[in-house]
Amino acid sequence: MSGTLYGIGLGPGDPELMTLKAHKLIASARVIAYPAPDSGESFARSIAADSIPDGVREIPIVVPMRVDRFPAQEIYDKAAEEIAAVLASGEDVVTLCEGDPFFYGSFMYLFERLSDRFTIEIVPGVTSLTACAARLRRPLTARNDVLTVIPGPLPDADIRRKIEEAQAVAIMKVGRHLTRLKTLLSDMGLLEKAGYVERASLPEQKVHRLIDLETDTAPYFSMILIYKGEEAWTLPPSYSS
């Protein structure tokens, strides 16, 4: 019998936001895999570190951090085959995933390579989207409002069109696009309706009304949330973080 591949959602960063099922599977794992940068520690592994048992076999999936499109196909081809060999031997593999495996998660690249050969179980996790809304202290959306999730690297014209068609908006992957996005939202008259969260749930998290944000740079793990629907929700006048 082949082993099972588990895609484990770890949540946005705070280990206490891992689910009980995620903790149980990690704590009993004999083989774990996880994405890792080509320099520095793996964020996914750091979230789960206290749950990882001694003596576990580790398979880091090293993905170079660069601006152009990744993951490189050959990296996930190689990782999939290494994991496949373990599964074929009858051993389970627990794969650690930041946030949720199927919400902009790199686990999807393993899933598409291995799901036709092996049993795969997805364990959902708290997403950065809901974590940021909680830290911003304003609901995401309600009733018949349309929530649209927009990647920040999209061209201005595409972002503008998607915002105009939605009542609630989440702009992800803000990073180096922060200044451009602030200018666009100002032109659309939405700057005062926008909230900003970076590194949600982590000790170094920052939460602001976007109009009060003074920096012109943002980390990759940052998000802008906008509500322009029928509810009378507003942002708090200020945040302590």
Side-chain angles (χ1 to χ4, degrees), residues 155-225:
D156 283 5
D158 291 347
I159 295 176
R160 178 185 290 270
R161 184 179 68 255
K162 293 179 186 299
I163 291 175
E164 289 173 345
E165 295 172 349
Q167 288 77 51
V169 176
I171 304 177
M172 301 182 62
K173 307 177 184 180
V174 173
R176 61 193 178 90
H177 306 282
L178 177 61
T179 299
R180 176 175 63 88
L181 292 169
K182 287 174 67 176
T183 300
L184 174 61
L185 295 174
S186 178
D187 290 345
M188 297 181 72
L190 294 174
L191 207 55
E192 292 189 357
K193 295 178 179 291
Y196 170 86
V197 184
E198 67 178 58
R199 297 189 173 97
S201 85
L202 295 172
E204 61 270 30
Q205 78 169 10
K206 294 181 180 179
V207 186
H208 297 279
R209 298 190 313 159
L210 188 59
I211 197 171
D212 296 333
L213 188 65
E214 296 180 354
T215 182
D216 292 325
T217 60
Y220 178 81
F221 292 110
S222 55
M223 187 179 302
I224 295 170
L225 296 178

Side-chain angles (χ1 to χ4, degrees), residues 53-72:
D54 294 335
V56 68
R57 175 183 172 185
E58 301 189 21
I59 304 175
I61 304 169
V62 179
V63 180
M65 297 293 104
R66 57 180 185 268
V67 174
D68 56 320
R69 179 174 172 78
F70 68 92

Side-chain angles (χ1 to χ4, degrees), residues 132-139 207 234-236 239:
C132 286
R135 296 306 186 267
L136 198 61
R137 299 184 60 80
R138 184 180 65 185
V207 186
T234 58
L235 293 169
Y239 293 91

Side-chain angles (χ1 to χ4, degrees), residues 91-152:
E91 196 82 81
D92 296 339
V93 178
V94 170
T95 304
L96 310 179
C97 313
E98 302 153 9
D100 179 272
F102 278 177
F103 185 67
Y104 290 99
S106 59
F107 181 77
M108 66 182 69
Y109 302 111
L110 295 176
F111 181 84
E112 69 182 357
R113 286 164 170 76
L114 297 171
S115 58
D116 61 341
R117 290 186 278 164
F118 300 100
T119 299
I120 299 182
E121 181 175 338
I122 309 300
V123 179
V126 175
T127 69
S128 57
L129 181 62
T130 50
C132 286
R135 296 306 186 267
L136 198 61
R137 299 184 60 80
R138 184 180 65 185
L140 274 173
T141 189
R143 301 180 186 274
N144 294 323
D145 289 337
V146 174
L147 170 63
T148 297
V149 180
I150 304 172

Side-chain angles (χ1 to χ4, degrees), residues 73-85:
Q73 297 302 310
E74 61 271 18
I75 291 173
Y76 279 92
D77 288 342
K78 181 177 181 295
E81 289 313 305
E82 186 174 358
I83 290 170

